[in-house]
Amino acid sequence: MNKQKRIEIFTRLRDANPSPTTELNYDSAFELLIAVILSAQATDVGVNKATAKLFPVANTPEAILDLGVEGLKDYIKTIGLYNSKAENIIKTCRALLDRHDGEVPDTREELEALPGVGRKTANVVLNTAFGQPAMAVDTHIFRVSNRTGIAPGKNVLEVEKRLMRLVPREFLQDAHHWLILHGRYTCTARKPKCGSCIIEDLCEYRHKRDYIE
């Protein structure tokens, strides 16, 4: 895919959604961090339902530590892998207090050193909470990048690095939100809605279909 085509793709995505953001509900960098940890192998809708009950009660490292592992589980038990997530969140809260005065750090190295925080989670926090041009490649972005030809790669790290290199700079800050939303609602896994896709004529997918929803 050539540079001009990428520029046109992201121009259209920006025109359709000028201010994209995560669909996770949060009011602070800490709330976002906890929500993203919870979102692994879970839906944003499911996470939002749990945090709508959790955050009014505990939305700081100290408050979540006060709940303890079992107390935290009561709030997140509707989410997949909640046992291990509760353990990691408690450890992360303790680490934030011990190493960062209770504040969420704004570097990849410090974030990835927290229990339960991998590269993708760190990238979401860096991009969404701190406004850094990071690319959190999830299954949606991986699929859209490969299917459209925007930035094909064999694994998520390869796709991430290609996106960071190939997405025009003016779009880099919001690109991962546009790609996630496009993959979630239009370029879906089983039935991509090519017939109602705003970048269908630019996409290099070989098996386009007329499906519209």
Side-chain angles (χ1 to χ4, degrees):
M1 180 177 287
N2 62 48
K3 181 179 179 180
Q4 196 55 46
K5 192 179 281 190
R6 286 193 189 89
I7 290 173
E8 179 60 26
I9 284 173
F10 284 103
T11 297
R12 291 187 192 179
L13 293 174
R14 180 176 63 187
D15 289 346
N17 185 4
S19 301
T21 189
T22 178
E23 293 187 315
L24 292 169
N25 295 332
Y26 72 99
D27 288 317
S28 67
F30 177 73
E31 287 188 0
L32 177 64
L33 174 62
I34 299 306
V36 180
I37 292 173
L38 291 173
S39 72
Q41 300 182 45
T43 67
D44 287 359
V45 171
V47 172
N48 287 338
K49 286 181 180 178
T51 57
K53 296 177 180 178
L54 171 64
F55 289 158
V57 174
N59 68 343
T60 65
E62 298 93 336
I64 287 183
L65 277 178
D66 286 344
L67 286 178
V69 173
E70 295 305 318
L72 178 57
K73 286 180 183 179
D74 286 340
Y75 288 95
I76 66 171
K77 59 188 176 183
T78 55
I79 297 174
L81 307 176
Y82 74 93
N83 284 309
S84 60
K85 288 176 182 178
E87 298 277 357
N88 281 331
I89 287 171
I90 290 294
K91 291 175 184 175
T92 280
C93 288
R94 191 168 290 119
L96 289 175
L97 290 168
D98 290 345
R99 301 180 212 157
H100 305 289
D101 296 321
E103 298 297 321
V104 176
D106 62 358
T107 69
R108 178 189 308 284
E109 294 74 20
E110 290 173 314
L111 283 167
E112 289 189 20
L114 297 171
V117 177
R119 187 177 183 89
K120 184 177 75 173
T121 296
N123 280 340
V124 173
V125 174
L126 290 171
N127 178 274
T128 306
F130 298 114
Q132 298 181 26
M135 197 70 63
V137 178
D138 67 352
T139 55
H140 297 301
I141 292 184
F142 185 78
R143 178 175 66 254
V144 171
S145 297
N146 276 287
R147 186 183 274 170
T148 62
I150 290 173
K154 295 178 181 178
N155 54 59
V156 293
L157 184 58
E158 196 172 301
V159 168
E160 177 190 331
K161 289 182 175 180
R162 284 192 177 176
L163 285 168
M164 292 299 294
R165 180 166 50 88
L166 295 172
V167 173
R169 183 169 296 277
E170 67 176 296
F171 304 107
L172 204 51
Q173 175 61 36
D174 292 321
H176 105 266
H177 291 305
W178 286 318
L179 293 173
I180 285 174
L181 294 171
H182 192 68
R184 186 172 288 167
Y185 297 112
T186 302
C187 195
T188 51
R190 294 186 180 180
K191 292 183 177 180
K193 303 172 180 62
C194 302
S196 55
C197 174
I198 61 173
I199 61 169
E200 188 271 340
D201 57 314
L202 302 168
C203 171
E204 297 181 355
Y205 185 42
R206 294 180 181 179
H207 308 291
K208 293 176 187 174
R209 50 209 302 283
D210 295 329
Y211 185 73
I212 299 173
E213 184 175 286

